[in-house]
Amino acid sequence: MSDFLATARDRLRPHVTDATRVDRITVGDAAVLVELIDGESSTAGLAHRPSGESLSTAESMPTADRSVESLLSAATAQEAGESTADRGRRALAIATMNALSAPLVDWRPGDPMALLSDDVERIATVGLFTPAFRKFDGVEVRVIERERIEEVPDPDGVRVRAFTPDEAAAAMNDADVVFVTGSAFIYGGVEAYLDAAPASATVVVIGATASFLPDPLFEAGVDVVAGATVTDADGVSAALRQGACGTDLHDAGLRKVYTARATPSGIRIDATDAAEDLTT
């Protein structure tokens, strides 16, 4: 269980009213979408769908027997010895948290991966953000993946090295910027990755999954939280049912956003972002 998820969930619970209910859940190949209604207002949140997990169907799921609280409770499922079904339920819990958080966070449009300062030389990423490599130039990227990468990408202007989670400290050594994928909240290990990040590094938690209240992460030393807001729930739901992910979801109604606890080094948060693909 992630303490960050538990803390954020508990801070969101007071915002759940008697009128808050689940309107629709959509399960796609790569992500899940939870839509909530509270009176006349509606919100939606997206989260990564764990690999290997079947959440009943890739079509919209019936929600008559689902409550907001029952979905939120799955955020605290234990990680040790858990099944893929447990991770699937956590994905739905996080998507619900993201939907509740949407109107509470002062998000700014933009993608920190496209806003690196010119003096950044070393980047560590938890997760293989291959499409983002075209935004980098003249940097070394150290990629930490849950399973060993057999074929390391070799893009122009970027030196890529691959590491496994038990090599996280070596991968992050002397990194100027550390990106931690939001999907780590589903698979586990976020706390360990944040502990391994150098104190001097700018730490960014990134991906649509990381779109819940950022304060618990800021309190732990994270500098930037970069998530996504759903601007067109119908469009995203339809795209998910058609198997869309990445850029296709962005085009369907998902907007890259971020918020920072201060003005971090390594990221030009006052720059204009040209949004492209979206990671979850």
Side-chain angles (χ1 to χ4, degrees), residues 16-34:
V16 179
T17 72
D18 291 340
T20 308
R21 63 181 178 86
V22 178
D23 183 39
R24 176 172 58 177
I25 295 175
T26 307
V27 178
D29 293 338
V32 298
L33 177 74
V34 173

Side-chain angles (χ1 to χ4, degrees), residues 153-190:
D154 186 26
D156 292 340
V158 181
R159 303 179 302 280
V160 182
R161 298 171 59 194
F163 297 80
T164 56
D166 59 354
E167 300 171 317
M172 294 185 185
N173 184 44
D174 293 333
D176 301 308
V177 180
V178 173
F179 291 101
V180 179
T181 176
S183 60
F185 287 105
I186 293 172
Y187 296 111
V190 173

Side-chain angles (χ1 to χ4, degrees), residues 133-221:
F133 288 168
R134 62 178 175 267
K135 304 171 187 177
F136 304 152
D137 185 39
V139 297
E140 177 184 353
V141 180
R142 304 163 184 172
V143 178
I144 303 167
E145 266 290 342
R146 291 184 301 116
E147 297 181 2
R148 186 170 295 279
I149 302 172
E150 298 299 334
E151 186 173 344
V152 179
D154 186 26
D156 292 340
V158 181
R159 303 179 302 280
V160 182
R161 298 171 59 194
F163 297 80
T164 56
D166 59 354
E167 300 171 317
M172 294 185 185
N173 184 44
D174 293 333
D176 301 308
V177 180
V178 173
F179 291 101
V180 179
T181 176
S183 60
F185 287 105
I186 293 172
Y187 296 111
V190 173
E191 284 85 355
Y193 292 129
L194 295 183
D195 286 343
S200 59
T202 295
V203 179
V204 183
V205 176
I206 190 167
T209 308
S211 301
F212 49 84
L213 289 179
D215 289 349
L217 290 168
F218 289 156
E219 291 161 9

Side-chain angles (χ1 to χ4, degrees), residues 27 49-58 84-85 88:
V27 178
R49 175 185 175 179
S51 59
E53 169 56 24
S54 173
L55 293 176
S56 176
T57 176
T84 53

Side-chain angles (χ1 to χ4, degrees), residues 249-260:
L249 288 179
H250 176 79
D251 293 340
L254 206 59
R255 186 186 195 190
K256 292 181 181 181
V257 293
Y258 70 94
T259 183

Side-chain angles (χ1 to χ4, degrees), residues 1 5 24 31 35 52 58 68 94 105 158 169 197 232 248 255 278:
M1 176 183 72
L5 291 181
R24 176 172 58 177
E35 298 172 62
V68 174
I94 294 174
V105 183
V158 181
D232 182 352
D248 292 335
R255 186 186 195 190
L278 180 79

